[in-house]
Amino acid sequence: MKQGDFTQVAKYYINRPAYSAMLLEKLFLCVNTFNKDIKDFKVCEVGAGTGKLTKMLSNFGFGVSAVEPNDAMRNEGIEYTKNTNIKWTKGDGENTKMKDDEFDWVIMASSFHWTDHTKSLPEFRRILKNGGYFTAMWNPRNILKDSIFYEIEEEIKKIIPELNRVSSGSQNTKKWEEIIVSTNDFVDCFFMECDYVEMMSKERYIGAWQSVNDIQAQAGEERWNKIMTMIKNKIQNLEIIEIPYKIRAWSAKKVNN
């Protein structure tokens, strides 16, 4: 498996956690500086994957365009969001294929870390209207010491000592405030965070792990199989798994044309 290529894991993305509706509501209040009605507020989600956040945005009432480079992920997203008004396009963070000055809000959910920000941030500025905002958000697990999730992480480190996570949660977190304003396309970056809990069956929890690209790519097949066996053994006596997350979002305003 190639790191950053989600083709083989696309079918498992349905098992991943959602995002906090409460945080989305709070963010909308902050980025809606012109007090537009929600139905008139145009949102572009870039790196929309299989549509986990995309569908939530549509259910809120936003006009949503979804941009996703990977064919398998995008096809899963189209199926997951069928019977909605979401418009799907093949594109990426550096070249969204969207028109100039088209959107009020551009969002990347659990994907901004895959872009070249020196190219993606100018691209987001280009497609945003004056007064528009860009938000980069993630939903990392909130791993507490002495929890089963902490035990699993420690075992993974033993199996892959050289592991280098490509993520944004509590591991390898970058200084996103500095990065988002570094190209001078955005200003006034602010941060919001909230707790979020998702209940999963054992099957869904295993499926969520099977969607993790960066560990699989670095582990190789033999070590990945060892990791999956370890996780299954850890949760074998659990019926429902209560997983704590931290939804984290950085937002900044477009520097007007």
Side-chain angles (χ1 to χ4, degrees):
M1 181 181 295
K2 183 180 177 182
Q3 191 158 329
D5 182 353
F6 296 88
T7 302
Q8 294 181 48
V9 299
K11 63 184 178 182
Y12 297 113
Y13 256 68
I14 190 65
N15 299 295
R16 286 202 162 195
Y19 293 81
S20 166
M22 181 273 289
L23 186 65
L24 286 173
E25 290 174 2
K26 301 298 184 187
L27 282 169
F28 174 59
L29 291 174
C30 291
V31 303
N32 186 18
T33 53
F34 297 115
N35 296 317
K36 291 185 178 182
D37 190 280
I38 198 166
K39 65 178 173 29
D40 299 319
F41 206 78
K42 295 188 67 177
V43 179
C44 181
E45 187 190 354
V46 182
T50 60
K52 204 78 176 185
L53 177 65
T54 326
K55 194 170 186 178
M56 289 184 70
L57 292 167
S58 177
N59 289 342
F60 265 99
F62 295 114
V64 182
S65 294
V67 176
E68 170 54 43
N70 184 276
D71 293 339
M73 296 280 278
R74 193 175 59 259
N75 289 336
E76 291 282 341
I78 290 169
E79 176 64 21
Y80 178 63
T81 62
K82 63 184 179 182
N83 302 320
T84 70
N85 293 322
I86 297 166
K87 299 175 182 177
W88 285 86
T89 301
K90 183 170 184 174
D92 56 40
E94 293 82 3
N95 184 12
T96 62
K97 310 288 178 67
M98 298 291 106
K99 297 177 183 176
D100 292 356
D101 308 311
E102 186 174 2
F103 297 98
D104 299 288
W105 197 8
V106 171
I107 301 176
M108 291 200 81
S110 301
S111 53
F112 182 52
H113 53 280
W114 290 108
T115 74
D116 176 349
H117 71 272
T118 65
K119 297 177 180 178
S120 60
L121 290 168
E123 173 70 355
F124 300 156
R125 179 188 178 190
R126 180 185 70 79
I127 67 175
L128 278 166
K129 300 173 185 177
N130 283 343
Y133 275 79
F134 165 61
T135 294
M137 69 166 60
W138 289 268
N139 56 353
R141 287 165 298 138
N142 186 20
I143 300 171
L144 303 176
K145 238 180 174 180
D146 300 323
S147 69
I148 189 172
F149 311 112
Y150 184 82
E151 292 175 11
I152 288 171
E153 291 293 326
E154 291 301 298
E155 288 296 322
I156 290 173
K157 290 175 186 176
K158 290 177 184 177
I159 296 169
I160 317 176
E162 75 280 13
L163 180 64
N164 181 30
R165 295 301 309 271
V166 181
S167 88
S168 66
S170 56
Q171 302 182 58
N172 296 352
T173 303
K174 296 180 179 179
K175 295 181 178 179
W176 296 115
E177 296 94 335
E178 296 179 11
I179 291 171
I180 289 171
V181 301
S182 65
T183 59
N184 297 316
D185 294 291
F186 292 88
V187 293
D188 302 333
C189 186
F190 65 91
F191 173 70
M192 297 179 74
E193 177 183 79
C194 74
D195 292 318
Y196 176 75
V197 175
E198 190 133 347
M199 312 295 284
M200 293 189 183
S201 64
K202 284 189 285 190
E203 293 73 24
R204 185 182 168 196
Y205 183 69
I206 292 298
W209 271 107
Q210 289 170 323
S211 75
V212 178
N213 168 271
D214 63 334
I215 296 181
Q216 288 194 61
Q218 293 178 63
E221 185 176 358
E222 183 178 344
R223 289 193 296 181
W224 178 248
N225 288 337
K226 187 175 181 181
I227 287 169
M228 293 307 299
T229 298
M230 176 270 294
I231 293 172
K232 289 174 183 176
N233 289 336
K234 288 280 186 186
I235 65 169
Q236 62 181 334
N237 295 322
L238 301 176
E239 290 303 320
I240 298 295
I241 303 167
E242 183 176 331
I243 310 166
Y245 292 88
K246 283 279 188 187
I247 313 298
R248 318 177 81 214
W250 288 261
S251 303
K253 188 176 182 180
K254 170 186 173 174
V255 172
N256 290 343
N257 301 329

